[in-house]
Structure formats: structure tokens, C-alpha cells
């Protein structure tokens, strides 16, 4: 058991049982084409373990945010197709969020979900920070356990909180400070330094009194950034930036607009959209000297080749360093894949919000529900 959370072995004999597996098959789609099946492949160890022991397996998941209504654009059919290629024995229910009871954590919806099943397994790490019916409901109805993926994620991410190899460096990027303030505050108590890039760096630079031009700025977060900077923690900010000039458009090089390297101050009308080469080198050195690296969020608009260099340099440093390296889901995982370094990282989390919340809080609603079920299993 991981900290009171039952695992598959704790379920006893599952042969002949009907097992409901909550997975996170919220995969990126381009129309009906799955552009990254990591979350499907990551669920296979649990699904196989159950099948090999003679269980009948039904999986369920959400996909996107259809807001409680059936909507063919959010159908799980593409996932069903991929799953049929990988493990045809597994049945898959339709998108849980087609029913408003899922997000409302409605008791009648939980009853409907577990009907006909003998055992519940939560392997949906990426959704375990949600108080939704399929995550927190079934453990009060059925013998329940964490699947392999959930257990592995918890072991690695809680390990970062509890016994990191030092120095421990967190590399934080992405657009908004407001999304990450809680986790940055929590990380400051754990890490030796934080490296900040991406859109959110400009709110930090503004808090230091720099001109940020037309860059992303969350004015209501400036005070919060100022207190973080005054806390005495080691926070590395960009010393130079790649900026896009007036008239330019992101993801559209044909639209014109000049691209230029600037310092900490961004000229009026210009938009900082990537860390500059000097900063990329400094950040790379910090990563190479680390004992543990947690990376969450791109350092620039890497989907636009003109502004990919900062994120690429960080991805390469994360691949090269001898540190234990963890990528916290979503965009940074996509970036690691795009730059071909995804196999050189120790752990790529399948959860974005969930990984940050687990590091921040040390627990998740889905784990708490399983822990309560675990007490019943053992008494
Ligand atoms: C995710 O992709 O972040 C998870 O699947 C959770 O989805 P949600 O943010 O829509 O709850
Ligand atoms: Mg999300």
C-alpha cells in the first residue's frame, strides 16, 4: 500500500469478477485522430494485470469538457478504436461527462456507474484531483484499489516532496502566474531554487519594476510575485528575452513583425514570447548542476519555431543532466516529445493539474477516497 492506499494486490482474487477501471483517456485529438496516446498506453499495465487474472474489465473516462450533455465531438470512439487495437477484451463506457451527475458527484450517478461491477480500480491519475462521481464515489460502494499508473505517479511525485536529491530545481513556465501561485509557494518550501520562464515570467519582471511592453501580464498578481521575490528564495528570472514586434502574430510568421533579442525591459508595443539565448544558457547550467529537476510548463511559445529555442534548450538540458528528472504533464510533456527527449526523462507525469496539486497538497481527493476504502478492505 502507498500511504494507506490499497493497490491491486490488496484486492485478493479477482478472477471471474467484473472490474470497473476509471482511466484518464482525456487524450489530445485532431478531429477524430489521437495525436498522443500516452495516456492510453500508460493504462495498459493495470488493464493487463486484471485480464491476466481472469477479471472482466470495463474502463470509463471523461474526454474534454462537454458540460453534462451528450455531444459527438467529445465521443470516446477514437479511444475505443485505439483500445481495441491494444487490448480488445476491454470494454469502454461512453464519456462520463455526458451526464451532469459526473461533475456534480451525484450519488445516483455513482450507483448507476458501479451497477453490475464487483470491484473498482482508479488508474486515472490525471483526474484524481477532481471531486467527481467516478473518482470519489465508487470506493464507498465497492472493494477498491489504485492501479499501477496511479501508484507510480504518487510514488514519484510524493518522493519529490519527501526525499529529493539536492539541489532540487523547479523549472516553471506556462502562461499564467495565477494557475501556479499555490504550487510555487509550496515548492519554495521544498526546492533549492526555482527557474521561471514562459508568459508568467513577465508578471515577475513587472514586479521588479521592469517594462514588459505588450507581453502577457497579470496585473492583479504583481503583489503576489513581489512577495515571492522578497521571500529570500532563489528565483531565477529571464535576463534576456526574444520579443515579437508590433504587427507580428504568434504562430503566423507570414504576418510579418520583427523578432529581436531584448534585455529585461521589453520595449512598448513589443511582446516577450521566449527566454533569450543568455537566459537559456543560465537555466541550462542550473539544470545540469541539479540533483532533482521538476519541469512544468514551456518557457516560450514553442509551437512557433521562432520562439521554440528557450523551451528546446531547457528540454535538452533536462535530457542531459544526471539529475532525477520529472516532467509535470501537459504542454511540457508535449514539448519534450516534440524535441525528441521524452525517452531521456525519468518520469513524465500523465497529469498536469493533478501533478501540481499532489505536489502542493501532498494528497488528492481520489487518493483520500481509496484510503477510506482501504480501511474497510483490511477490517
Ligand atoms: C486533464 O487533462 O487535465 C485531466 O484529464 C483532467 O481534465 P479536466 O481538467 O477537464 O478536469
Ligand atoms: Mg486540465
Amino acid at each position: 500500500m502507498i500511504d494507506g492506499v490499497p493497490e491491486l494486490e490488496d484486492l485478493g482474487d479477482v478472477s471471474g469478477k467484473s472490474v470497473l477501471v476509471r482511466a484518464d483517456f482525456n487524450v489530445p485529438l485532431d478531429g477524430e485522430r489521437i495525436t498522443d496516446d500516452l495516456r492510453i498506453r500508460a493504462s495498459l499495465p493495470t488493464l493487463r494485470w486484471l485480464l491476466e487474472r481472469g477479471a472482466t474489465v470495463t474502463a470509463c473516462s471523461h474526454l474534454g469538457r462537454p458540460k453534462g450533455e451528450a455531444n459527438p465531438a467529445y465521443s470516446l470512439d477514437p479511444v475505443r478504436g485505439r483500445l481495441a487495437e491494444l487490448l480488445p477484451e476491454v470494454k469502454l463506457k461512453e464519456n462520463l461527462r455526458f451526464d451532469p451527475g459526473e461533475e456534480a458527484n451525484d450519488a445516483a450517478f455513482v450507483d448507476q456507474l458501479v451497477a453490475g461491477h464487483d470491484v473498482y480500480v482508479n488508474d486515472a491519475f490525471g483526474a484524481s484531483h477532481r471531486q467527481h462521481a467516478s473518482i470519489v464515489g465508487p470506493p464507498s460502494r465497492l472493494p477498491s484499489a489504485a492501479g499501477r499508473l496511479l501508484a507510480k505517479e504518487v510514488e514519484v511525485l510524493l518522493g519529490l516532496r519527501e526525499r529529493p536529491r539536492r539541489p532540487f530545481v523547479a523549472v516553471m513556465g506556462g502562461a499564467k502566474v495565477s494557475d501556479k501561485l499555490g504550487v510555487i509557494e509550496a515548492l519554495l518550501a521544498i526546492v533549492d531554487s526555482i527557474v521561471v520562464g514562459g508568459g508568467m515570467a513577465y508578471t515577475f519582471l513587472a514586479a521588479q519594476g521592469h517594462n514588459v511592453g505588450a507581453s502577457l501580464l497579470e496585473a492583479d498578481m504583481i503583489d503576489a510575485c513581489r512577495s515571492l521575490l522578497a521571500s529570500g528564495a532563489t528565483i531565477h528570472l529571464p535576463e534576456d528575452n526574444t520579443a515579437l514586434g508590433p504587427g507580428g502574430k504568434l504562430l503566423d510568421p507570414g504576418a510579418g513583425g520583427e523578432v529581436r533579442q531584448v534585455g529585461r525591459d521589453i520595449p512598448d508595443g513589443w511582446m516577450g514570447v521566449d527566454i533569450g539565448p543568455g537566459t537559456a544558457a543560465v537555466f541550462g547550467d542550473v539544470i545540469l548542476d541539479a540533483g532533482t529537476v521538476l519541469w512544468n510548463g514551456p518557457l516560450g511559445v514553442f509551437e512557433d519555431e521562432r520562439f521554440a529555442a528557450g523551451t528546446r534548450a531547457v528540454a535538452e538540458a533536462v535530457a542531459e543532466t544526471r539529475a532525477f528528472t520529472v516532467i509535470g504533464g501537459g504542454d511540457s510533456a508535449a514539448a519534450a516529445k516534440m524535441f525528441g527527449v521524452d525517452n531521456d526523462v525519468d518520469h513524465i507525469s500523465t497529469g498536469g493539474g493533478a501533478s501540481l496539486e499532489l505536489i502542493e497538497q501532498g494528497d488528492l481527493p481520489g487518493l483520500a477516497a481509496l484510503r477510506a476504502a482501504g480501511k474497510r478492505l483490511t477490517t
Side-chain angles (χ1 to χ4, degrees):
M1 287 202 197
I2 29 163
D3 186 25
V5 174
E7 295 189 62
L8 296 176
E9 288 74 10
D10 300 308
L11 291 170
D13 185 8
V14 295
S15 125
K17 302 234 167 108
S18 169
V19 182
L20 176 68
V21 177
R22 175 47 158 113
D24 182 356
F25 292 149
N26 187 23
V27 293
L29 289 167
D30 177 7
E32 283 172 21
R33 195 176 62 87
I34 297 171
T35 56
D36 184 358
D37 68 353
L38 171 71
R39 282 178 165 177
I40 303 176
R41 285 182 288 109
S43 75
L44 296 179
T46 294
L47 299 174
R48 280 205 190 100
W49 191 95
L50 292 165
L51 291 170
E52 278 163 9
R53 280 158 188 79
T56 308
V57 180
T58 305
C60 61
S61 177
H62 71 288
L63 177 77
R65 295 177 177 172
K67 304 208 159 48
E69 275 170 37
N71 178 343
Y74 295 96
S75 162
L76 276 167
D77 281 347
V79 174
R80 192 169 289 110
R82 182 71 183 119
L83 206 51
E85 291 166 2
L86 296 163
L87 277 184
E89 304 93 317
V90 174
K91 280 173 275 182
L92 176 63
K93 289 185 191 272
E94 194 36 285
N95 193 336
L96 295 164
R97 291 187 185 170
F98 284 178
D99 192 307
E102 166 65 356
E103 292 186 61
N105 187 18
D106 176 60
F109 183 66
V110 178
D111 290 336
Q112 196 186 312
L113 201 58
V114 300
H117 300 292
D118 308 305
V119 171
Y120 168 78
V121 170
N122 180 356
D123 215 18
F125 172 68
S128 287
H129 58 319
R130 304 287 182 218
Q131 294 270 5
H132 294 173
S134 65
I135 299 288
V136 296
S140 67
R141 312 283 203 281
L142 299 177
S144 298
R148 287 286 184 263
L149 170 63
L150 179 59
K152 172 82 193 296
E153 293 269 14
V154 171
E155 185 196 313
V156 171
L157 296 168
L158 287 186
L160 290 186
R161 274 175 63 101
E162 284 151 21
R163 38 177 193 281
R165 240 200 293 153
R166 297 201 177 270
F168 181 4
V169 177
V171 181
M172 303 300 283
K176 291 185 172 171
V177 184
S178 50
D179 287 346
K180 309 236 164 123
L181 187 64
V183 74
I184 292 177
E185 282 170 348
L187 282 170
L188 283 177
I190 307 168
V191 302
D192 297 289
S193 66
I194 296 199
V195 164
V196 177
M200 66 183 205
Y202 300 102
T203 302
F204 278 92
L205 289 173
Q208 285 185 325
H210 293 289
N211 189 10
V212 297
S215 311
L216 258 183
L217 174 69
E218 284 180 281
D220 54 346
M221 286 286 128
I222 290 179
D223 283 343
C225 290
R226 207 173 275 134
S227 346
L228 290 176
L229 291 167
S231 69
T234 305
I235 301 180
H236 300 275
L237 293 176
E239 293 163 19
D240 59 350
N241 295 278
T242 302
L244 176 63
K249 275 207 189 105
L250 292 173
L251 308 175
D252 185 5
E258 206 186 320
V259 174
R260 198 190 281 173
Q261 305 302 330
V262 299
R264 286 193 179 86
D265 289 284
I266 318 286
D268 289 340
W270 288 67
M271 201 194 304
V273 276
D274 193 12
I275 55 173
T279 302
V282 173
F283 287 8
D285 284 345
V286 173
I287 291 166
L288 291 175
D289 288 340
T292 303
V293 178
L294 169 67
W295 175 25
N296 183 289
L299 289 297
V301 185
F302 73 95
E303 302 89 341
D304 185 326
E305 183 49 41
R306 296 171 296 170
F307 312 116
T311 305
R312 181 185 286 116
V314 161
E316 285 169 356
V318 167
E320 198 184 321
T321 180
R322 294 174 62 190
F324 180 70
T325 50
V326 177
I327 294 187
D331 289 343
S332 16
K337 198 169 175 197
M338 180 168 140
F339 300 128
V341 302
D342 49 326
N343 291 323
D344 303 313
V345 176
D346 290 298
H347 181 75
I348 297 191
S349 176
T350 52
S355 61
L356 293 182
E357 191 168 321
L358 181 57
I359 292 167
E360 184 179 333
Q361 317 274 347
D363 205 3
L364 295 174
L367 295 174
L370 289 173
R371 213 175 282 121
K375 289 211 181 96
R376 282 190 302 280
L377 268 183
T378 51
T379 50

